[in-house]
Amino acid sequence: MKAAVLWERRTPLKIEEIDLADLEPGDARVKIQASGVCHSDLHHINRETPFKPPLILGHEGAGVVEAVGPGVTSVQPGDRVTIMFGSKCGNCHFCNTGEDYLCTTPLPGYPRFIRKEERFTQLLGVGSFAEYVNVSASNLVKVPEELPIECAALLACGVTTGLGATTSTVNVKPGDTVAVIGVGGVGMNVVQGAALAGASRVIAVDLVERKLELAQQFGATHLVNAGDTDAVQEIKNLTHGRGADYVFEVIGRPETIKQAYDAARNGGTAVVVGLGASDEEVGFNLGELMRSGKAIQGCFYGSVRPHADIPRYIDLYLDGRIKIDQLISRRFKLEQVNEAFDALKAGEVARGVIMYE
Ligand code: CND
Ligand code: ZN
């Protein structure tokens, strides 16, 4: 089968013929049908991360179960599924207390992608830039026939992270003021999550006009082009001079995380959704941090319980309450994966999706 391999950081992916290992107990094999291209994948190309090349990227995948390994009863061949990333063991302290996005069980140590003696790293236990994957069956959420498969793929990361950020990581309430710095594939979903939760102001901040226009369709009430104006001041101007109740940073840069903190009102919360580099830090004035009563909140995977929350998001989609199709700006073949990354880098797409035969 074909897979896109990152052989070396900061080089283009190469399409290779590789194999899957036999199914281990608890694993299922999924024929991938769609895989979104998230900025986190790009971070793994450009930055040093714990996932070492040769690496198969892709963590926003969906498809059909092809086969199941020993002991698997939760899914069966033919089921349409979206694939959660990271560990979801169902047994650790965090899984048992409903915080399974914090699951501490290491990803399986055995190889799943192989070619003779070669072993390939599987990003976040998924690696959906491949025609087939072996994954933990406990990471699969079944999706209904009516849900287009590319929408199922986006529910594996961008949609779920963004919606969850507003109502699982924090609790946006009717009338709250919200700003979202960075309205790409994930940030756009923070915008629609905040609108759905009843925020009175949803201020979208980006550098790309097209993204801002789309954000308006996703429920943004005010648009701020950070290239033209001081985003922090503008957010304050739009929130009675106080700053917003919640400011979400969905880029992953120290400067914009600091902006999110500065643009939050006293007692408000800066929510860090963007993935910064592991060697980067942000400084805060300690006197101000204490006196302002502000909170800085990390957000991984929208703090969701995927098995409980993704079916709720699917219902919202099927009832026309959230948009997913409109996020997909372009579709690519697996062979065009590098073009998909170029389009993401250039800010041309809200989400690009790789579609498989
Ligand atoms: P994408 O590239 O689609 O969006 C980023 C947006 O930020 C783009 O629209 C840019 O134009 C905009 N932008 C860049 N610089 C600035 C700036 N200085 N001011 C305002 N806007 C700016 O990326 P994505 O939406 O796929 O991912 C966004 C981040 O979220 C990224 O860091 C990714 O790694 C992270 C993420 C986190 C999680 C999680 O679990 N927390 C899950 N998936 C992705
Ligand atoms: Zn992602």
Side-chain angles (χ1 to χ4, degrees), residues 216-240:
Q216 195 159 27
Q217 294 172 35
F218 275 71
T221 58
H222 296 77
L223 310 178
V224 175
N225 190 323
D228 301 342
T229 179
D230 175 348
V232 173
Q233 193 51 53
E234 201 51 37
I235 292 169
K236 288 191 172 166
N237 292 346
L238 292 167
T239 51
H240 310 285

Short mmCIF file of all heavy atoms in Angstrom, two decimals, residues 216-240:
data_model
loop_
_atom_site.label_atom_id
_atom_site.label_comp_id
_atom_site.label_asym_id
_atom_site.label_seq_id
_atom_site.Cartn_x
_atom_site.Cartn_y
_atom_site.Cartn_z
N GLN A 216 -16.69 35.07 9.39
CA GLN A 216 -17.99 35.74 9.54
C GLN A 216 -19.12 34.74 9.28
O GLN A 216 -20.11 34.71 10.01
CB GLN A 216 -18.07 36.90 8.55
CG GLN A 216 -19.18 37.85 8.87
CD GLN A 216 -18.95 39.21 8.24
OE1 GLN A 216 -18.27 39.31 7.20
NE2 GLN A 216 -19.50 40.24 8.83
N GLN A 217 -18.92 33.89 8.26
CA GLN A 217 -19.94 32.86 7.99
C GLN A 217 -20.02 31.85 9.12
O GLN A 217 -21.04 31.20 9.32
CB GLN A 217 -19.62 32.12 6.69
CG GLN A 217 -19.70 32.97 5.45
CD GLN A 217 -19.17 32.22 4.24
OE1 GLN A 217 -19.33 31.01 4.11
NE2 GLN A 217 -18.52 32.94 3.34
N PHE A 218 -18.95 31.69 9.85
CA PHE A 218 -18.93 30.73 10.97
C PHE A 218 -19.39 31.38 12.28
O PHE A 218 -19.32 30.74 13.32
CB PHE A 218 -17.53 30.12 11.12
CG PHE A 218 -17.31 28.93 10.21
CD1 PHE A 218 -17.18 29.09 8.85
CD2 PHE A 218 -17.26 27.64 10.74
CE1 PHE A 218 -17.00 28.00 8.01
CE2 PHE A 218 -17.09 26.54 9.90
CZ PHE A 218 -16.96 26.72 8.53
N GLY A 219 -19.80 32.64 12.22
CA GLY A 219 -20.40 33.25 13.41
C GLY A 219 -19.61 34.37 14.04
O GLY A 219 -20.01 34.89 15.09
N ALA A 220 -18.49 34.78 13.42
CA ALA A 220 -17.75 35.91 13.99
C ALA A 220 -18.59 37.18 13.85
O ALA A 220 -19.21 37.41 12.80
CB ALA A 220 -16.41 36.08 13.28
N THR A 221 -18.61 37.99 14.90
CA THR A 221 -19.38 39.24 14.85
C THR A 221 -18.48 40.41 14.47
O THR A 221 -18.95 41.43 14.01
CB THR A 221 -20.02 39.54 16.22
OG1 THR A 221 -18.98 39.61 17.20
CG2 THR A 221 -21.02 38.45 16.61
N HIS A 222 -17.17 40.28 14.71
CA HIS A 222 -16.22 41.35 14.40
C HIS A 222 -14.96 40.72 13.83
O HIS A 222 -14.54 39.65 14.28
CB HIS A 222 -15.88 42.16 15.66
CG HIS A 222 -17.05 42.88 16.23
ND1 HIS A 222 -18.01 42.25 16.97
CD2 HIS A 222 -17.43 44.18 16.13
CE1 HIS A 222 -18.95 43.13 17.32
NE2 HIS A 222 -18.61 44.31 16.82
N LEU A 223 -14.37 41.43 12.85
CA LEU A 223 -13.19 40.90 12.17
C LEU A 223 -12.03 41.86 12.36
O LEU A 223 -12.19 43.06 12.20
CB LEU A 223 -13.47 40.74 10.66
CG LEU A 223 -14.76 40.00 10.31
CD1 LEU A 223 -14.97 39.96 8.79
CD2 LEU A 223 -14.74 38.56 10.85
N VAL A 224 -10.87 41.32 12.73
CA VAL A 224 -9.70 42.16 12.96
C VAL A 224 -8.54 41.60 12.13
O VAL A 224 -8.14 40.45 12.33
CB VAL A 224 -9.30 42.18 14.46
CG1 VAL A 224 -8.01 42.96 14.66
CG2 VAL A 224 -10.43 42.77 15.29
N ASN A 225 -8.03 42.42 11.21
CA ASN A 225 -6.84 42.00 10.48
C ASN A 225 -5.61 42.47 11.26
O ASN A 225 -5.33 43.67 11.33
CB ASN A 225 -6.84 42.56 9.05
CG ASN A 225 -5.73 41.92 8.24
OD1 ASN A 225 -4.63 41.64 8.75
ND2 ASN A 225 -6.00 41.64 6.98
N ALA A 226 -4.89 41.51 11.85
CA ALA A 226 -3.77 41.85 12.74
C ALA A 226 -2.60 42.43 11.96
O ALA A 226 -1.66 42.96 12.56
CB ALA A 226 -3.32 40.60 13.50
N GLY A 227 -2.66 42.36 10.62
CA GLY A 227 -1.62 42.99 9.81
C GLY A 227 -1.81 44.50 9.71
O GLY A 227 -0.86 45.24 9.47
N ASP A 228 -3.05 44.95 9.92
CA ASP A 228 -3.36 46.37 9.74
C ASP A 228 -3.43 47.14 11.05
O ASP A 228 -3.47 48.36 11.04
CB ASP A 228 -4.76 46.55 9.11
CG ASP A 228 -4.88 45.85 7.78
OD1 ASP A 228 -3.83 45.56 7.20
OD2 ASP A 228 -6.03 45.60 7.34
N THR A 229 -3.58 46.43 12.15
CA THR A 229 -3.92 47.12 13.39
C THR A 229 -3.35 46.36 14.59
O THR A 229 -2.96 45.21 14.47
CB THR A 229 -5.46 47.27 13.47
OG1 THR A 229 -5.78 47.92 14.69
CG2 THR A 229 -6.17 45.93 13.48
N ASP A 230 -3.33 47.01 15.74
CA ASP A 230 -2.88 46.36 16.96
C ASP A 230 -4.02 45.49 17.48
O ASP A 230 -5.04 46.01 17.97
CB ASP A 230 -2.51 47.46 17.97
CG ASP A 230 -2.13 46.91 19.33
OD1 ASP A 230 -2.36 45.71 19.59
OD2 ASP A 230 -1.60 47.69 20.14
N ALA A 231 -3.87 44.18 17.36
CA ALA A 231 -4.98 43.27 17.65
C ALA A 231 -5.44 43.39 19.10
O ALA A 231 -6.65 43.37 19.38
CB ALA A 231 -4.56 41.82 17.34
N VAL A 232 -4.51 43.56 20.03
CA VAL A 232 -4.87 43.62 21.45
C VAL A 232 -5.75 44.85 21.70
O VAL A 232 -6.81 44.77 22.33
CB VAL A 232 -3.61 43.66 22.34
CG1 VAL A 232 -3.97 43.91 23.79
CG2 VAL A 232 -2.81 42.38 22.17
N GLN A 233 -5.30 45.99 21.16
CA GLN A 233 -6.05 47.23 21.36
C GLN A 233 -7.43 47.11 20.74
O GLN A 233 -8.44 47.54 21.32
CB GLN A 233 -5.26 48.41 20.75
CG GLN A 233 -5.79 49.77 21.16
CD GLN A 233 -5.96 49.90 22.68
OE1 GLN A 233 -5.02 49.64 23.42
NE2 GLN A 233 -7.16 50.28 23.13
N GLU A 234 -7.49 46.51 19.56
CA GLU A 234 -8.76 46.39 18.84
C GLU A 234 -9.73 45.48 19.62
O GLU A 234 -10.92 45.78 19.72
CB GLU A 234 -8.47 45.83 17.44
CG GLU A 234 -9.52 46.08 16.41
CD GLU A 234 -9.95 47.54 16.28
OE1 GLU A 234 -9.09 48.44 16.41
OE2 GLU A 234 -11.16 47.76 16.07
N ILE A 235 -9.21 44.39 20.19
CA ILE A 235 -10.08 43.51 20.99
C ILE A 235 -10.60 44.29 22.21
O ILE A 235 -11.79 44.22 22.55
CB ILE A 235 -9.32 42.23 21.43
CG1 ILE A 235 -9.00 41.35 20.22
CG2 ILE A 235 -10.12 41.43 22.47
CD1 ILE A 235 -8.02 40.21 20.48
N LYS A 236 -9.73 45.09 22.81
CA LYS A 236 -10.19 45.90 23.96
C LYS A 236 -11.24 46.91 23.53
O LYS A 236 -12.26 47.10 24.20
CB LYS A 236 -9.00 46.61 24.61
CG LYS A 236 -8.12 45.63 25.37
CD LYS A 236 -7.11 46.34 26.22
CE LYS A 236 -6.39 45.33 27.10
NZ LYS A 236 -5.19 45.88 27.72
N ASN A 237 -11.01 47.58 22.37
CA ASN A 237 -11.98 48.56 21.88
C ASN A 237 -13.36 47.93 21.70
O ASN A 237 -14.38 48.57 21.90
CB ASN A 237 -11.55 49.14 20.53
CG ASN A 237 -10.29 50.00 20.65
OD1 ASN A 237 -9.90 50.38 21.75
ND2 ASN A 237 -9.65 50.27 19.51
N LEU A 238 -13.35 46.66 21.31
CA LEU A 238 -14.62 45.98 21.01
C LEU A 238 -15.26 45.35 22.25
O LEU A 238 -16.32 44.74 22.16
CB LEU A 238 -14.38 44.89 19.94
CG LEU A 238 -14.00 45.41 18.54
CD1 LEU A 238 -13.47 44.29 17.66
CD2 LEU A 238 -15.22 46.07 17.89
N THR A 239 -14.59 45.47 23.39
CA THR A 239 -15.11 44.85 24.62
C THR A 239 -15.11 45.89 25.76
O THR A 239 -14.61 45.61 26.85
CB THR A 239 -14.27 43.61 25.01
OG1 THR A 239 -12.89 43.98 25.02
CG2 THR A 239 -14.45 42.46 24.04
N HIS A 240 -15.67 47.06 25.47
CA HIS A 240 -15.83 48.14 26.47
C HIS A 240 -14.51 48.53 27.12
O HIS A 240 -14.48 48.90 28.29
CB HIS A 240 -16.84 47.72 27.55
CG HIS A 240 -18.13 47.19 26.99
ND1 HIS A 240 -19.08 48.01 26.43
CD2 HIS A 240 -18.58 45.93 26.84
CE1 HIS A 240 -20.09 47.28 25.99
NE2 HIS A 240 -19.80 46.01 26.22
#
